[in-house]
Amino acid sequence: MGQRSRRRGPQRGADLQMQVQLTFMEAVFGSSKELNLRYQHVNRETGTAEIKDREVTVKTPAGIDTGMNLRLAGQGAEGDPGAGKGNLLIQVIVEEDDYFQRDGQDVHTEIPISLPQAVLGGSVDVRTLTGVVEMKIPKGCEVDAKLMLRGKGIPALNNGGGRKGNQIVHLQIQIPKKISPRQEELMREFDKECKISKVGVS
């Protein structure tokens, strides 16, 4: 007996792919963008191809990062009559920032401090993702010292902005290339006192 050919029903539309580029801050706080979707659609009944062009609203959640993908159900190509559209798959690309360096949910920043600040301690203004805050500098900071601002990082993805990472501040001690005669005199006195008290490197 010959096999009966199964009649194929209406086919869902094809999935489409595109990219969305976000600024660093758009990725941190979330955004909504209007993108132009342009693709070729083939009519299965007539075999003719036509170019489709439409606008798509893409909402990206806070905390998204480069390489992540979004799936917009029913935003792909048209299917056969009686069948639904395919999906739209969006690849996210996030621009780098000149000040903030991302590491997961944490951000790293650098802040210059003076030599007296490193020795004596003090405070310095630090720019965070949500504004400027005052950060205390402890006495005796060493080269490449790091301080942490808890909860000043990037929101966890799909967490409603509740849990956030941290901001790690790298202290960059600025050594002056030129100093005044008075400053040199004080530095020599300081060096002399260090040798007497055996503090520091002689």
Side-chain angles (χ1 to χ4, degrees), residues 34-125:
E34 293 289 331
L35 301 181
N36 181 259
L37 179 62
R38 186 178 176 86
Y39 59 98
Q40 180 176 286
H41 173 67
V42 178
N43 188 311
R44 296 180 187 274
E45 294 182 347
T46 64
T48 58
E50 57 181 339
I51 302 298
K52 296 280 188 174
D53 196 320
R54 56 186 163 92
E55 297 294 317
V56 177
T57 301
V58 179
K59 294 183 178 180
T60 57
I64 201 164
D65 201 1
T66 291
M68 294 182 177
N69 296 293
L70 299 174
R71 176 178 170 272
L72 301 186
Q75 293 292 332
E78 292 78 2
D80 292 340
K85 291 182 179 180
N87 301 320
L88 178 59
L89 307 176
I90 299 178
Q91 183 183 34
V92 176
I93 299 174
V94 181
E95 298 174 359
E96 293 186 0
D97 189 82
D98 293 334
Y99 180 72
F100 296 102
Q101 298 294 321
R102 183 170 183 170
D103 181 16
Q105 288 176 245
D106 296 334
V107 290
H108 293 255
T109 58
E110 294 182 355
I111 193 79
I113 63 172
S114 67
L115 185 58
Q117 283 178 313
V119 175
L120 303 174
S123 63
V124 65
D125 288 338

Coordinates of all heavy atoms in Angstrom, one line a residue, residues 34-125:
E34 N 13.1 52.6 19.8 CA 12.4 52.3 18.6 C 13.4 51.9 17.5 O 14.3 52.7 17.2 CB 11.6 53.6 18.1 CG 10.4 54.0 19.1 CD 9.3 53.0 19.1 OE1 9.1 52.3 18.0 OE2 8.6 52.8 20.1
L35 N 13.3 50.7 17.0 CA 14.2 50.2 16.0 C 13.5 50.0 14.7 O 12.3 49.6 14.7 CB 14.9 48.9 16.5 CG 15.7 49.0 17.8 CD1 16.3 47.6 18.1 CD2 16.8 50.0 17.7
N36 N 14.1 50.2 13.6 CA 13.6 49.9 12.3 C 13.9 48.5 11.9 O 15.1 48.2 11.8 CB 14.1 50.9 11.3 CG 13.5 50.7 9.9 OD1 14.2 50.1 9.1 ND2 12.3 51.1 9.7
L37 N 12.9 47.7 11.7 CA 13.1 46.3 11.3 C 12.8 46.2 9.8 O 11.7 46.4 9.4 CB 12.2 45.4 12.2 CG 12.2 43.9 11.9 CD1 13.6 43.3 12.1 CD2 11.2 43.2 12.7
R38 N 13.8 45.7 9.1 CA 13.7 45.6 7.6 C 14.1 44.2 7.3 O 15.2 43.7 7.6 CB 14.5 46.6 6.9 CG 14.3 46.7 5.4 CD 15.2 47.8 4.8 NE 15.2 47.8 3.4 CZ 14.3 48.5 2.7 NH1 13.4 49.2 3.3 NH2 14.3 48.5 1.4
Y39 N 13.2 43.5 6.5 CA 13.5 42.1 6.2 C 12.8 41.7 4.9 O 11.8 42.3 4.5 CB 13.1 41.1 7.4 CG 11.7 41.2 7.8 CD1 10.7 40.3 7.3 CD2 11.2 42.2 8.6 CE1 9.4 40.4 7.6 CE2 9.9 42.3 8.9 CZ 9.0 41.4 8.5 OH 7.6 41.5 8.8
Q40 N 13.2 40.5 4.4 CA 12.5 40.0 3.2 C 11.6 38.9 3.6 O 11.9 38.0 4.3 CB 13.6 39.5 2.2 CG 13.0 38.9 0.9 CD 14.1 38.5 -0.1 OE1 14.7 39.3 -0.7 NE2 14.2 37.2 -0.2
H41 N 10.3 39.0 3.1 CA 9.3 38.0 3.3 C 8.9 37.4 2.0 O 8.6 38.1 1.0 CB 8.1 38.7 4.0 CG 6.9 37.8 4.2 ND1 7.0 36.7 5.0 CD2 5.7 37.8 3.6 CE1 5.8 36.1 5.0 NE2 5.0 36.7 4.1
V42 N 8.8 36.0 2.0 CA 8.4 35.3 0.8 C 7.0 34.8 1.0 O 6.7 34.0 2.0 CB 9.4 34.1 0.5 CG1 8.9 33.3 -0.7 CG2 10.8 34.6 0.3
N43 N 6.1 35.1 0.1 CA 4.7 34.6 0.2 C 4.8 33.2 -0.3 O 5.1 32.9 -1.5 CB 3.8 35.5 -0.7 CG 2.4 35.1 -0.6 OD1 2.0 34.0 -0.6 ND2 1.6 36.1 -0.4
R44 N 4.4 32.2 0.6 CA 4.4 30.8 0.2 C 3.5 30.4 -0.9 O 3.7 29.4 -1.6 CB 4.2 29.9 1.5 CG 5.2 30.1 2.6 CD 4.9 29.2 3.8 NE 5.8 29.5 4.9 CZ 7.0 28.9 5.0 NH1 7.4 28.0 4.1 NH2 7.7 29.2 6.1
E45 N 2.4 31.1 -1.0 CA 1.4 30.8 -2.0 C 1.8 31.2 -3.4 O 1.6 30.5 -4.3 CB 0.0 31.4 -1.6 CG -0.6 30.8 -0.3 CD -1.9 31.4 0.0 OE1 -2.3 32.4 -0.6 OE2 -2.6 30.9 0.9
T46 N 2.3 32.5 -3.5 CA 2.7 33.0 -4.8 C 4.2 32.8 -5.1 O 4.6 32.9 -6.3 CB 2.3 34.5 -4.9 OG1 3.1 35.2 -3.9 CG2 0.8 34.7 -4.5
G47 N 5.0 32.6 -4.1 CA 6.4 32.5 -4.3 C 7.1 33.8 -4.5 O 8.3 33.9 -4.8
T48 N 6.4 34.9 -4.3 CA 7.0 36.2 -4.5 C 7.6 36.7 -3.2 O 7.1 36.5 -2.1 CB 6.0 37.2 -5.1 OG1 4.9 37.3 -4.1 CG2 5.4 36.8 -6.4
A49 N 8.7 37.5 -3.4 CA 9.4 38.1 -2.2 C 9.1 39.6 -2.2 O 9.0 40.2 -3.2 CB 10.9 37.8 -2.3
E50 N 8.9 40.1 -1.0 CA 8.7 41.5 -0.8 C 9.5 42.0 0.5 O 9.8 41.2 1.4 CB 7.2 41.8 -0.6 CG 6.6 41.1 0.5 CD 5.1 41.4 0.6 OE1 4.7 42.4 0.1 OE2 4.4 40.6 1.2
I51 N 9.9 43.2 0.4 CA 10.6 43.8 1.6 C 9.6 44.4 2.6 O 8.8 45.2 2.2 CB 11.6 44.9 1.1 CG1 12.6 44.3 0.1 CG2 12.3 45.5 2.3 CD1 13.5 43.2 0.6
K52 N 9.7 44.0 3.8 CA 8.9 44.5 4.9 C 9.7 45.5 5.7 O 10.9 45.3 5.9 CB 8.4 43.4 5.8 CG 7.5 42.3 5.1 CD 6.1 42.8 5.0 CE 5.2 41.8 4.5 NZ 3.8 42.2 4.5
D53 N 9.0 46.5 6.1 CA 9.7 47.6 6.9 C 8.7 48.0 8.0 O 7.6 48.5 7.7 CB 10.0 48.7 6.0 CG 11.0 49.7 6.6 OD1 10.9 50.0 7.8 OD2 11.9 50.1 5.9
R54 N 9.1 47.9 9.3 CA 8.2 48.4 10.4 C 9.1 48.8 11.6 O 10.3 48.4 11.7 CB 7.2 47.3 10.7 CG 7.7 46.0 11.1 CD 6.6 45.0 11.3 NE 7.0 43.6 11.3 CZ 7.3 42.9 12.4 NH1 7.3 43.5 13.6 NH2 7.7 41.7 12.3
E55 N 8.5 49.5 12.5 CA 9.1 49.9 13.7 C 8.8 49.0 14.8 O 7.7 48.5 14.9 CB 8.6 51.3 14.1 CG 9.0 52.4 13.1 CD 10.5 52.7 13.0 OE1 11.2 52.7 14.1 OE2 11.0 52.8 11.9
V56 N 9.8 48.7 15.6 CA 9.6 47.8 16.8 C 10.1 48.5 18.0 O 11.2 49.1 18.0 CB 10.4 46.5 16.5 CG1 10.3 45.6 17.8 CG2 10.0 45.8 15.3
T57 N 9.4 48.4 19.1 CA 9.8 49.0 20.4 C 10.5 47.9 21.2 O 9.9 46.8 21.4 CB 8.5 49.5 21.2 OG1 7.9 50.5 20.4 CG2 9.0 50.1 22.5
V58 N 11.7 48.2 21.6 CA 12.5 47.3 22.3 C 12.8 47.9 23.7 O 13.4 48.9 23.9 CB 13.9 47.0 21.6 CG1 14.7 46.0 22.5 CG2 13.6 46.4 20.3
K59 N 12.3 47.2 24.7 CA 12.5 47.6 26.1 C 13.6 46.7 26.7 O 13.4 45.5 26.8 CB 11.2 47.5 26.9 CG 10.2 48.5 26.5 CD 8.9 48.4 27.4 CE 7.9 49.4 26.9 NZ 6.7 49.4 27.7
T60 N 14.7 47.3 27.2 CA 15.8 46.6 27.8 C 15.8 46.7 29.3 O 15.6 47.9 29.8 CB 17.2 47.0 27.2 OG1 17.3 48.4 27.4 CG2 17.2 46.7 25.7
P61 N 15.9 45.7 30.0 CA 15.8 45.8 31.5 C 17.1 46.3 32.1 O 18.2 46.2 31.5 CB 15.6 44.3 31.9 CG 16.3 43.5 30.8 CD 16.0 44.3 29.6
A62 N 17.0 46.9 33.3 CA 18.2 47.4 34.0 C 19.1 46.3 34.3 O 18.7 45.2 34.7 CB 17.8 48.2 35.2
G63 N 20.4 46.5 34.1 CA 21.4 45.6 34.4 C 21.9 44.7 33.2 O 22.7 43.8 33.4
I64 N 21.3 44.9 32.1 CA 21.6 44.0 30.9 C 23.1 44.3 30.5 O 23.6 45.4 30.7 CB 20.6 44.3 29.8 CG1 20.6 43.1 28.8 CG2 20.9 45.6 29.0 CD1 19.4 43.0 27.9
D65 N 23.7 43.3 29.8 CA 25.1 43.5 29.4 C 25.3 43.0 28.0 O 24.5 42.3 27.4 CB 26.0 42.7 30.4 CG 27.4 43.2 30.4 OD1 27.7 44.1 29.7 OD2 28.2 42.6 31.2
T66 N 26.5 43.3 27.5 CA 26.9 42.9 26.1 C 26.8 41.3 26.0 O 27.2 40.6 26.9 CB 28.3 43.4 25.8 OG1 28.2 44.8 25.7 CG2 28.8 42.7 24.5
G67 N 26.3 40.9 24.9 CA 26.2 39.4 24.6 C 24.9 38.8 25.1 O 24.6 37.7 24.7
M68 N 24.1 39.5 25.9 CA 22.8 39.0 26.3 C 21.8 39.1 25.1 O 22.0 40.0 24.3 CB 22.3 39.7 27.5 CG 23.1 39.4 28.8 SD 22.5 40.2 30.2 CE 23.6 39.6 31.5
N69 N 20.8 38.3 25.1 CA 19.8 38.3 24.1 C 18.4 38.5 24.6 O 18.1 38.1 25.7 CB 19.8 37.0 23.3 CG 21.2 36.8 22.6 OD1 21.5 37.5 21.6 ND2 21.9 35.8 23.0
L70 N 17.6 39.2 23.9 CA 16.2 39.4 24.2 C 15.3 38.7 23.1 O 15.7 38.7 21.9 CB 15.9 40.9 24.2 CG 16.6 41.8 25.2 CD1 16.2 43.3 25.0 CD2 16.3 41.4 26.6
R71 N 14.2 38.2 23.6 CA 13.3 37.5 22.7 C 12.0 38.2 22.7 O 11.3 38.2 23.7 CB 13.2 36.0 23.1 CG 12.2 35.2 22.3 CD 12.2 33.8 22.7 NE 11.1 33.0 22.2 CZ 9.8 33.0 22.7 NH1 9.6 33.6 23.8 NH2 8.9 32.2 22.1
L72 N 11.6 38.8 21.6 CA 10.3 39.4 21.4 C 9.3 38.5 20.7 O 9.4 38.3 19.5 CB 10.4 40.7 20.7 CG 11.3 41.8 21.3 CD1 11.2 43.1 20.6 CD2 11.0 42.0 22.8
A73 N 8.4 37.8 21.5 CA 7.5 36.8 20.9 C 6.6 37.5 19.9 O 6.0 38.6 20.2 CB 6.8 36.1 22.0
G74 N 6.4 36.9 18.7 CA 5.4 37.4 17.8 C 5.8 38.7 17.0 O 5.0 39.3 16.3
Q75 N 7.1 39.0 17.1 CA 7.6 40.2 16.4 C 8.5 39.8 15.2 O 9.1 40.7 14.6 CB 8.4 41.1 17.3 CG 7.6 41.7 18.4 CD 6.6 42.8 17.9 OE1 6.8 43.4 16.9 NE2 5.5 42.9 18.6
G76 N 8.5 38.6 14.8 CA 9.3 38.1 13.7 C 8.5 38.2 12.3 O 7.6 39.0 12.2
A77 N 8.9 37.4 11.4 CA 8.3 37.5 10.1 C 6.9 36.9 10.1 O 6.5 36.1 10.9 CB 9.1 36.7 9.1
E78 N 6.0 37.3 9.1 CA 4.7 36.8 9.0 C 4.7 35.3 8.6 O 5.5 34.9 7.8 CB 3.9 37.6 8.0 CG 3.6 39.1 8.4 CD 4.8 40.0 8.2 OE1 5.9 39.5 7.7 OE2 4.7 41.2 8.5
G79 N 3.7 34.6 9.1 CA 3.6 33.2 8.7 C 2.5 33.0 7.6 O 2.0 34.0 7.0
D80 N 2.2 31.7 7.4 CA 1.1 31.4 6.5 C -0.2 32.0 7.0 O -0.4 32.2 8.2 CB 1.0 29.9 6.3 CG 2.2 29.3 5.6 OD1 2.9 30.1 4.9 OD2 2.4 28.1 5.7
P81 N -1.2 32.2 6.1 CA -2.5 32.6 6.6 C -3.0 31.6 7.7 O -3.0 30.4 7.5 CB -3.4 32.5 5.3 CG -2.4 32.8 4.2 CD -1.2 32.1 4.6
G82 N -3.4 32.1 8.8 CA -3.9 31.3 9.9 C -2.8 30.9 10.9 O -3.1 30.3 11.9
A83 N -1.6 31.3 10.6 CA -0.5 31.0 11.5 C 0.1 32.3 12.0 O 0.0 33.3 11.4 CB 0.6 30.2 10.7
G84 N 0.8 32.1 13.2 CA 1.3 33.3 13.8 C 2.7 33.8 13.3 O 3.3 33.1 12.4
K85 N 3.1 34.9 13.7 CA 4.4 35.4 13.3 C 5.5 34.7 14.1 O 5.3 34.1 15.1 CB 4.5 36.9 13.6 CG 3.7 37.8 12.8 CD 3.9 39.3 13.1 CE 3.1 40.2 12.3 NZ 3.3 41.6 12.6
G86 N 6.7 34.8 13.6 CA 7.9 34.2 14.3 C 8.3 35.2 15.4 O 7.6 36.1 15.8
N87 N 9.4 34.9 16.0 CA 10.0 35.8 17.1 C 11.1 36.6 16.6 O 11.7 36.4 15.6 CB 10.5 34.9 18.2 CG 9.4 34.0 18.8 OD1 8.2 34.4 18.9 ND2 9.7 32.7 19.1
L88 N 11.3 37.7 17.3 CA 12.5 38.6 17.0 C 13.5 38.4 18.1 O 13.2 38.6 19.3 CB 12.0 40.0 17.0 CG 13.1 41.1 16.7 CD1 13.8 40.9 15.4 CD2 12.4 42.5 16.7
L89 N 14.7 38.0 17.7 CA 15.8 37.8 18.6 C 16.7 38.9 18.5 O 17.3 39.2 17.4 CB 16.5 36.5 18.3 CG 15.6 35.2 18.2 CD1 16.4 34.0 17.8 CD2 14.9 35.0 19.5
I90 N 17.0 39.6 19.7 CA 17.8 40.8 19.7 C 19.1 40.6 20.5 O 19.0 40.2 21.7 CB 17.0 42.0 20.2 CG1 15.8 42.2 19.4 CG2 17.8 43.2 20.3 CD1 14.9 43.3 19.9
Q91 N 20.2 40.8 19.9 CA 21.5 40.7 20.6 C 21.9 42.1 21.1 O 21.8 43.1 20.3 CB 22.6 40.2 19.6 CG 23.9 40.0 20.3 CD 25.0 39.6 19.4 OE1 25.0 39.9 18.2 NE2 25.9 38.8 19.9
V92 N 22.3 42.2 22.3 CA 22.6 43.4 23.0 C 24.1 43.7 22.9 O 24.9 42.9 23.2 CB 22.1 43.4 24.5 CG1 22.5 44.7 25.2 CG2 20.6 43.2 24.5
I93 N 24.4 45.0 22.5 CA 25.8 45.4 22.5 C 25.8 46.7 23.3 O 25.1 47.7 23.0 CB 26.3 45.7 21.1 CG1 26.3 44.4 20.3 CG2 27.7 46.3 21.1 CD1 26.6 44.6 18.8
V94 N 26.7 46.7 24.4 CA 26.8 47.9 25.3 C 28.1 48.6 25.0 O 29.2 48.0 25.0 CB 26.7 47.5 26.7 CG1 26.8 48.7 27.7 CG2 25.4 46.7 27.0
E95 N 28.0 49.9 24.9 CA 29.2 50.7 24.7 C 30.0 50.8 26.0 O 29.4 50.8 27.1 CB 28.8 52.1 24.2 CG 28.1 52.2 22.9 CD 27.6 53.6 22.6 OE1 27.9 54.5 23.4 OE2 27.0 53.8 21.5
E96 N 31.3 50.9 25.9 CA 32.2 51.1 27.0 C 32.1 52.5 27.5 O 31.7 53.4 26.8 CB 33.6 50.7 26.7 CG 33.8 49.2 26.4 CD 35.3 48.9 26.3 OE1 36.1 49.8 26.4 OE2 35.6 47.7 26.1
D97 N 32.4 52.7 28.8 CA 32.3 54.0 29.4 C 33.7 54.5 29.7 O 34.6 53.7 30.1 CB 31.5 54.0 30.7 CG 31.2 55.4 31.2 OD1 30.3 56.1 30.8 OD2 31.9 55.8 32.2
D98 N 34.0 55.8 29.6 CA 35.3 56.3 29.9 C 35.7 56.3 31.4 O 36.9 56.3 31.7 CB 35.4 57.7 29.3 CG 35.4 57.8 27.8 OD1 35.7 56.8 27.2 OD2 35.0 58.8 27.2
Y99 N 34.7 56.3 32.2 CA 34.9 56.4 33.7 C 34.7 55.1 34.4 O 35.5 54.7 35.2 CB 34.0 57.5 34.2 CG 34.2 57.8 35.7 CD1 35.3 58.4 36.2 CD2 33.2 57.4 36.6 CE1 35.5 58.6 37.6 CE2 33.3 57.6 37.9 CZ 34.5 58.2 38.4 OH 34.6 58.4 39.8
F100 N 33.6 54.5 34.1 CA 33.2 53.3 34.8 C 33.7 52.0 34.0 O 33.5 52.0 32.8 CB 31.7 53.2 35.0 CG 31.1 54.2 35.9 CD1 30.4 55.3 35.3 CD2 31.2 54.1 37.2 CE1 29.9 56.3 36.1 CE2 30.6 55.1 38.0 CZ 30.0 56.2 37.5
Q101 N 34.3 51.1 34.7 CA 34.6 49.8 34.1 C 33.8 48.7 34.8 O 33.8 48.5 36.0 CB 36.1 49.5 34.3 CG 37.1 50.5 33.7 CD 37.0 50.5 32.2 OE1 36.9 49.4 31.6 NE2 37.1 51.7 31.6
R102 N 33.0 48.0 33.9 CA 32.1 47.0 34.5 C 32.7 45.7 34.7 O 33.5 45.2 33.9 CB 30.9 46.9 33.5 CG 29.8 45.9 34.0 CD 28.6 46.0 33.2 NE 27.5 45.1 33.7 CZ 26.3 45.1 33.3 NH1 25.9 45.9 32.4 NH2 25.4 44.2 33.9
D103 N 32.3 45.0 35.8 CA 32.8 43.7 36.1 C 31.6 43.0 36.8 O 31.4 42.9 38.0 CB 34.0 43.7 37.1 CG 34.5 42.3 37.5 OD1 34.1 41.3 36.8 OD2 35.2 42.2 38.5
G104 N 30.7 42.4 35.9 CA 29.5 41.8 36.4 C 28.6 42.9 36.9 O 28.2 43.8 36.2
Q105 N 28.2 42.8 38.2 CA 27.3 43.8 38.8 C 28.2 45.0 39.4 O 27.6 46.0 39.8 CB 26.4 43.2 39.8 CG 25.3 42.4 39.3 CD 24.5 41.7 40.4 OE1 24.5 40.5 40.5 NE2 23.8 42.6 41.2
D106 N 29.5 44.7 39.5 CA 30.3 45.7 40.1 C 30.9 46.7 39.1 O 31.0 46.3 37.9 CB 31.5 45.1 40.8 CG 31.1 44.2 42.0 OD1 30.0 44.5 42.6 OD2 31.8 43.2 42.3
V107 N 31.2 47.9 39.5 CA 31.9 48.9 38.6 C 33.2 49.3 39.3 O 33.3 49.4 40.6 CB 31.0 50.1 38.3 CG1 29.9 49.7 37.4 CG2 30.5 50.8 39.6
H108 N 34.2 49.5 38.5 CA 35.5 50.0 39.0 C 35.8 51.4 38.5 O 35.5 51.7 37.3 CB 36.6 49.0 38.5 CG 36.6 47.7 39.1 ND1 37.4 47.2 40.1 CD2 35.7 46.6 38.8 CE1 37.1 46.0 40.4 NE2 36.1 45.6 39.7
T109 N 36.3 52.2 39.4 CA 36.6 53.6 39.0 C 38.0 53.9 39.6 O 38.4 53.3 40.6 CB 35.6 54.6 39.5 OG1 35.4 54.5 40.9 CG2 34.2 54.4 38.8
E110 N 38.6 55.0 39.1 CA 39.9 55.4 39.6 C 39.7 56.9 40.1 O 39.0 57.7 39.4 CB 41.0 55.4 38.6 CG 41.4 54.0 38.1 CD 42.5 53.9 37.1 OE1 42.9 55.0 36.7 OE2 42.9 52.8 36.7
I111 N 40.4 57.2 41.2 CA 40.3 58.6 41.7 C 41.7 59.0 42.2 O 42.4 58.2 42.9 CB 39.3 58.6 42.9 CG1 38.9 60.1 43.2 CG2 39.7 57.9 44.1 CD1 38.0 60.7 42.3
P112 N 42.2 60.2 41.7 CA 43.5 60.6 42.2 C 43.4 61.2 43.6 O 42.5 61.9 43.9 CB 43.8 61.7 41.2 CG 42.5 62.2 40.7 CD 41.5 61.1 40.8
I113 N 44.4 60.9 44.4 CA 44.6 61.6 45.7 C 46.0 62.1 45.8 O 46.9 61.6 45.2 CB 44.2 60.6 46.9 CG1 45.2 59.4 46.9 CG2 42.8 60.1 46.8 CD1 45.1 58.5 48.2
S114 N 46.2 63.1 46.7 CA 47.5 63.6 46.9 C 48.3 62.8 47.9 O 47.8 61.9 48.6 CB 47.4 65.1 47.4 OG 46.8 65.1 48.7
L115 N 49.6 63.0 47.9 CA 50.5 62.3 48.8 C 50.1 62.6 50.3 O 50.0 61.6 51.1 CB 51.9 62.7 48.6 CG 53.0 61.9 49.4 CD1 52.9 60.4 49.2 CD2 54.4 62.4 49.0
P116 N 49.8 63.8 50.7 CA 49.4 64.1 52.0 C 48.1 63.4 52.4 O 47.9 62.9 53.5 CB 49.2 65.6 52.1 CG 50.1 66.1 51.0 CD 50.1 65.1 50.0
Q117 N 47.1 63.3 51.4 CA 45.9 62.6 51.7 C 46.1 61.1 51.9 O 45.5 60.5 52.8 CB 44.9 62.7 50.5 CG 44.2 64.0 50.4 CD 43.3 64.1 49.2 OE1 43.8 63.8 48.0 NE2 42.1 64.6 49.3
A118 N 47.1 60.5 51.2 CA 47.4 59.1 51.3 C 48.0 58.9 52.7 O 47.8 57.8 53.3 CB 48.4 58.6 50.2
V119 N 48.8 59.8 53.2 CA 49.5 59.6 54.5 C 48.6 60.0 55.7 O 48.4 59.2 56.6 CB 50.8 60.5 54.6 CG1 51.4 60.4 56.0 CG2 51.8 60.1 53.5
L120 N 47.9 61.1 55.5 CA 47.1 61.6 56.6 C 45.6 61.2 56.6 O 44.9 61.4 57.6 CB 47.2 63.2 56.6 CG 48.6 63.8 56.7 CD1 48.5 65.3 56.6 CD2 49.2 63.4 58.0
G121 N 45.1 60.8 55.5 CA 43.7 60.5 55.3 C 42.9 61.7 55.0 O 43.5 62.8 54.8
G122 N 41.6 61.6 54.9 CA 40.8 62.7 54.5 C 39.5 62.3 53.8 O 39.0 61.2 54.1
S123 N 39.1 63.0 52.9 CA 37.9 62.7 52.2 C 38.0 63.2 50.7 O 38.8 64.1 50.5 CB 36.6 63.3 52.8 OG 36.6 64.7 52.8
V124 N 37.2 62.6 49.8 CA 37.3 63.0 48.4 C 35.9 62.7 47.8 O 35.2 61.8 48.2 CB 38.4 62.2 47.7 CG1 38.1 60.7 47.7 CG2 38.6 62.7 46.3
D125 N 35.5 63.5 46.9 CA 34.3 63.3 46.2 C 34.4 62.3 45.1 O 35.4 62.4 44.3 CB 33.8 64.7 45.5 CG 33.3 65.6 46.6 OD1 32.9 65.2 47.7 OD2 33.3 66.9 46.3

